């Protein structure tokens, strides 16, 4: 047989789902008119909304398309400018490398003698004078001492063995031209970019360095010829450092290339256009980059995003303003039309609202009529109705039905000792505990009268009723409600259960009477106990 412990949510309140049915409109013509009016209003509203949405969507599409076209134009212009700058830089570096290669060839072809150096002196001066980008030319020996240079002042005891490029040439046998990070020239005090190459002796050992310094000032003057706007920037980067940048800031000359997302994109491909925020000055720009063909350098040309898109933004605002104004005119006209159509339905809607409110109020009253005001459980009236229904169902299906009567032990003494307010609170807590003892939605907990409560357990045999009753008794014991006048010093309950399969001719009263007799035996047996009617155990 089905036990009461089936894990379903408990139902501890009366069922108030049955209420007034839908209102019966006695005028079919009125219902038809309302439907037609509603359809016309809906269609008109839908049309107005569609027109406004279509205008806004079309405007948004045009704005986005215009922006895409503007971005493409900016990218093309930036790319062409980056390619032009890179070609200019590449030709300058190539010229410097060509001069260095010629000098190194002369030095490595014979010994580095005073005669050779004296012969090279006017050559260095001539190169420095002819090429504007070159600030100076220098030849150092293996100790870093100045052997010969293009400067007007004598070398004296100057030594460049501490420079980064000198140390790299001394430690690396590579004969490739090296482009180093910008430095402040010891001869002129200006920022220069070193372009250098190692000199080897006849045995292949390190014999010194040939250095050409490119003038940062001259490179900036070249970059200043390109129009890139007030927020624009043009920069030349080496493998790991910033070499020169317009606008010029001296603090940027020692900046290394970090692992920023922009730098990673620059290194990922030979050329391209990206958008990002500069790590140097924080301005968001559209940046085109181009790597030099023969050197580990790349150029970036960037325009301020806000500045570059200003014309597009102004045109978009102007266009959007007119579209929105047109939508407001259409929406206003539609709203006026719809409001005039709705006025006919306002009175009827108010009447229907009043009717619905009255129906809801009646449902609430019906719910209150089925609920015990103190404990929140079902009241005696609702319990009797549910018992009659469940008894008939059990009779027809020949399934067991159980009733558990509950009585609070020595409750009169509790009221005398703690007052009626304390007694009310005690009953409320016990009611809550009983709710936790039932596990099925078909079970019902009700207040039978006074301190008596009752559990109605459909589909439950005597064993299941005993299990539920024990669970209810323990739930109350666990509350530990103090009761100084009781034997246990806490509030307890006694329970009597009866369960059987109804037979023709039997009545619900007989089941209640059996449960009440079991409760009486529980009270006589010492309280805080559960007794099951003998017939239920057969």
């Amino acid at each position: 047989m089905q036990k009461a412990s089936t894990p379903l949510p408990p139902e501890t309140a009366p069922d108030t789902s049955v209420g007034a049915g839908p209102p019966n409109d006695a005028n079919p013509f009125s219902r038809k008119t309302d439907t037609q009016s509603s359809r016309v209003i809906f269609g008109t509203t839908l049309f107005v909304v569609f027109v406004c949405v279509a205008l806004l969507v079309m405007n948004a599409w045009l704005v986005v398309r215009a922006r895409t076209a503007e971005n493409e134009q900016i990218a093309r212009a930036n790319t062409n400018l980056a390619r032009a700058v890179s070609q200019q830089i590449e030709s300058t570096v190539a010229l410097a490398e060509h001069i260095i290669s010629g000098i190194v060839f002369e030095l490595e072809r014979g010994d580095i003698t005073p005669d050779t150096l004296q012969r090279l002196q006017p050559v260095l001066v001539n190169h420095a004078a002819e090429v504007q980008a070159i600030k100076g030319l220098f030849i150092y020996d293996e100790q870093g001492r100045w052997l010969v240079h293009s400067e007007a002042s004598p070398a004296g005891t100057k030594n460049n063995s501490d420079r980064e490029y000198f140390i790299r040439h001394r430690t690396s046998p590579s004969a490739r031209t090296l482009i180093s990070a910008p430095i402040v020239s010891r001869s002129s005090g200006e920022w220069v970019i070193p372009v250098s190459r190692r000199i080897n002796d006849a045995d292949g050992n390190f014999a010194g360095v040939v250095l050409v310094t490119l003038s940062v000032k001259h490179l900036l003057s070249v970059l200043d010829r390109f129009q890139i706007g007030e927020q624009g920037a043009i920069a030349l980067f080496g493998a790991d450092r910033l070499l020169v940048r317009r606008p010029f800031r001296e603090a940027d000359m020692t900046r290394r290339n970090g692992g920023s997302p922009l730098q990673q994109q620059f290194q990922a491909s030979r050329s391209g256009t990206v958008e990002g925020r500069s790590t140097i000055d924080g301005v968001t720009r559209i940046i085109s980059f181009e790597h030099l063909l023969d050197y580990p350098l790349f150029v970036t040309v960037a325009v301020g995003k806000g500045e570059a898109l200003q014309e597009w933004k102004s045109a978009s605002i102007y266009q959007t303003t007119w579209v929105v104004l047109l939508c407001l005119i259409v929406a206003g006209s539609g709203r006026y039309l719809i409001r005039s159509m709705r006025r006919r339905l306002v009175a009827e809607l108010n009447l229907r609202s009043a009717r619905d409110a009255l129906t809801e109020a009646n449902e609430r009253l019906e719910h209150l009529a089925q609920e015990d005001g103190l404990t929140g459980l079902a009241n005696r009236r609702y319990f009797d109705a549910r018992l009659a229904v469940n008894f008939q169902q059990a009779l027809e299906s020949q399934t067991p039905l159980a009733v558990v009567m509950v009585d609070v032990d020595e409750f009169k003494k509790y009221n005398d000792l703690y007052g009626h307010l304390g007694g009310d609170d005690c009953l409320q807590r016990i009611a809550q505990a009983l709710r936790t003892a039932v596990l099925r939605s078909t079970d019902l907990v009700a207040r039978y009268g006074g301190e008596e409560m009752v559990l109605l357990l459909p589909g439950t045999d005597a064993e299941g009723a005993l299990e539920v009753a024990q669970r209810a008794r323990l739930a109350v014991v666990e509350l530990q409600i103090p009761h100084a006048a009781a034997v246990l010093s806490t509030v307890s309950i006694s329970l009597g259960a009866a369960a059987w399969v109804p037979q023709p001719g039997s009545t619900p009263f007989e089941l209640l009477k059996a449960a009440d007799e079991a409760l009486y035996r529980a009270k006589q047996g010492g309280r805080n106990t559960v007794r099951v009617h003998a017939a239920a155990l057969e």
Side-chain angles (χ1 to χ4, degrees):
M1 294 185 180
Q2 185 179 3
K3 302 294 178 65
S5 57
T6 305
L8 291 172
E11 178 185 334
T12 58
D15 182 7
T16 58
S17 59
V18 179
N24 182 21
D25 195 337
N27 191 344
F29 178 77
S30 177
R31 291 201 303 272
K32 182 177 180 180
T33 302
D34 289 349
T35 302
Q36 292 175 346
S37 298
S38 299
R39 288 178 178 175
V40 172
I41 292 174
F42 177 77
T44 305
T45 303
L46 189 62
F47 175 75
V48 172
V49 171
F50 173 78
V51 171
C52 293
V53 170
L55 288 172
L56 293 174
V57 169
M58 179 62 68
N59 176 71
W61 181 78
L62 291 174
V63 169
V64 171
R65 184 180 179 184
R67 174 169 178 154
T68 302
E70 188 74 14
N71 281 335
E72 291 175 353
Q73 184 176 353
I74 293 170
R76 283 194 299 270
N78 273 10
T79 300
N80 293 334
L81 188 55
R83 188 169 292 121
V85 173
S86 66
Q87 289 173 355
Q88 180 114 14
I89 297 296
E90 187 160 22
S91 64
T92 301
V93 176
L95 180 58
E97 184 181 30
H98 176 72
I99 293 172
I100 291 174
S101 297
I103 296 173
V104 171
F105 177 77
E106 288 293 332
L107 293 173
E108 291 184 345
R109 186 175 62 174
D111 295 332
I112 304 177
T113 63
D115 291 339
T116 304
L117 296 175
Q118 187 176 3
R119 189 173 63 254
L120 286 175
Q121 170 70 29
V123 175
L124 301 184
V125 174
N126 186 51
H127 282 314
E130 289 181 350
V131 182
Q132 294 181 354
I134 296 178
K135 182 63 181 175
L137 287 90
F138 305 85
I139 300 175
Y140 309 119
D141 65 8
E142 72 277 5
Q143 299 299 324
R145 293 187 295 265
W146 293 29
L147 297 178
V148 64
H149 57 84
S150 63
E151 298 293 320
S153 60
T157 59
K158 294 179 181 178
N159 190 293
N160 277 39
S161 61
D162 61 332
R163 292 296 197 185
E164 180 183 357
Y165 61 83
F166 189 90
I167 296 172
R168 290 185 61 179
H169 286 307
R170 185 174 57 194
T171 57
S172 172
S174 174
R176 297 186 62 182
T177 301
L178 176 66
I179 304 172
S180 304
I183 58 175
V184 177
S185 173
R186 287 174 176 161
S187 59
S188 64
E190 296 182 10
W191 283 97
V192 294
I193 298 175
V195 181
S196 57
R197 183 171 167 180
R198 172 188 172 111
I199 306 172
N200 292 328
D201 60 16
D203 298 326
N205 298 319
F206 177 66
V209 172
V210 176
L211 171 70
V212 172
T213 57
L214 301 179
S215 172
V216 170
K217 183 184 294 186
H218 174 76
L219 292 176
L220 286 173
S221 68
V222 173
L223 298 182
D224 284 339
R225 300 172 190 168
F226 299 98
Q227 299 297 323
I228 54 174
E230 295 182 0
Q231 294 182 343
I234 303 178
L236 173 65
F237 291 89
D240 62 346
R241 287 182 184 269
L242 172 66
L243 301 183
V244 62
R245 181 178 184 270
R246 169 201 168 193
F248 176 77
R249 291 192 315 177
E250 193 165 359
D252 297 335
M253 300 303 292
T254 57
R255 183 182 292 272
R256 287 183 175 273
N257 293 346
S260 66
L262 279 178
Q263 289 294 334
Q264 293 175 6
Q265 292 182 73
F266 294 156
Q267 299 296 342
S269 57
R270 188 166 192 81
S271 63
T273 300
V274 297
E275 181 180 312
R277 185 174 182 178
S278 171
T279 57
I280 297 177
D281 55 17
V283 177
T284 300
R285 295 185 173 93
I286 300 172
I287 309 166
S288 293
F289 62 94
E290 182 82 20
H291 285 258
L292 274 63
L293 295 175
D294 299 321
Y295 302 99
L297 307 175
F298 66 93
V299 172
T300 62
V301 175
V303 293
K305 181 180 178 182
E307 186 177 26
L309 296 175
Q310 184 59 46
E311 185 177 348
W312 164 84
K313 185 183 297 183
S314 300
S316 298
I317 292 174
Y318 180 78
Q319 174 181 304
T320 302
T321 300
W322 279 106
V323 171
V324 171
L325 181 61
L326 180 59
C327 288
L328 290 176
I329 295 174
V330 173
S333 302
R335 182 170 179 268
Y336 176 79
L337 178 62
I338 293 170
R339 287 182 63 184
S340 63
M341 296 172 63
R342 284 180 174 172
R343 288 193 183 100
R344 299 182 305 169
L345 301 177
V346 172
E348 182 177 352
L349 291 176
N350 290 336
L351 289 174
R352 290 176 181 175
S353 298
R355 181 189 62 195
D356 294 341
L358 181 61
T359 301
E360 184 180 354
N362 289 334
E363 291 176 351
R364 286 199 299 269
L365 289 174
E366 183 179 354
H367 178 79
L368 293 175
Q370 297 172 348
E371 183 180 283
D372 177 62
L374 175 63
T375 61
L377 302 177
N379 58 21
R380 173 71 178 273
R381 172 188 172 192
Y382 185 72
F383 169 78
D384 289 341
R386 279 283 296 272
L387 175 62
V389 172
N390 290 153
F391 192 88
Q392 183 62 33
Q393 291 174 346
L395 178 62
E396 294 173 355
S397 61
Q398 284 298 288
T399 55
L401 177 66
V403 172
V404 179
M405 297 293 294
V406 182
D407 185 72
V408 182
D409 296 331
E410 301 180 295
F411 187 70
K412 183 178 184 306
K413 294 181 181 180
Y414 188 92
N415 263 342
D416 294 341
L417 185 60
Y418 298 99
H420 288 287
L421 291 179
D424 291 347
D425 180 69
C426 176
L427 290 177
Q428 290 171 351
R429 295 179 64 184
I430 291 174
Q432 183 60 37
L434 294 180
R435 284 190 179 101
T436 64
V438 296
L439 304 176
R440 302 182 310 176
S441 61
T442 54
D443 297 338
L444 178 69
V445 182
R447 186 180 182 190
Y448 198 70
E451 67 272 21
E452 285 189 325
M453 301 177 195
V454 61
L455 309 181
L456 179 60
L457 311 173
T460 303
D461 57 14
E463 182 180 351
L466 176 61
E467 179 183 343
V468 174
Q470 289 288 8
R471 193 159 56 239
R473 182 185 66 80
L474 292 175
V476 173
V477 170
E478 289 174 358
L479 293 176
Q480 292 294 302
I481 302 174
H483 190 348
V487 176
L488 299 176
S489 299
T490 58
V491 172
S492 62
I493 57 174
S494 296
L495 304 97
W500 61 60
V501 178
Q503 300 299 321
S506 60
T507 64
F509 175 76
E510 295 173 352
L511 182 60
L512 275 176
K513 182 178 179 182
D516 193 59
E517 291 174 357
L519 174 62
Y520 178 78
R521 289 192 291 108
K523 302 287 283 187
Q524 293 297 112
R527 299 184 176 86
N528 192 31
T529 57
V530 178
R531 292 290 185 271
V532 181
H533 192 269
L537 298 176
E538 297 176 355

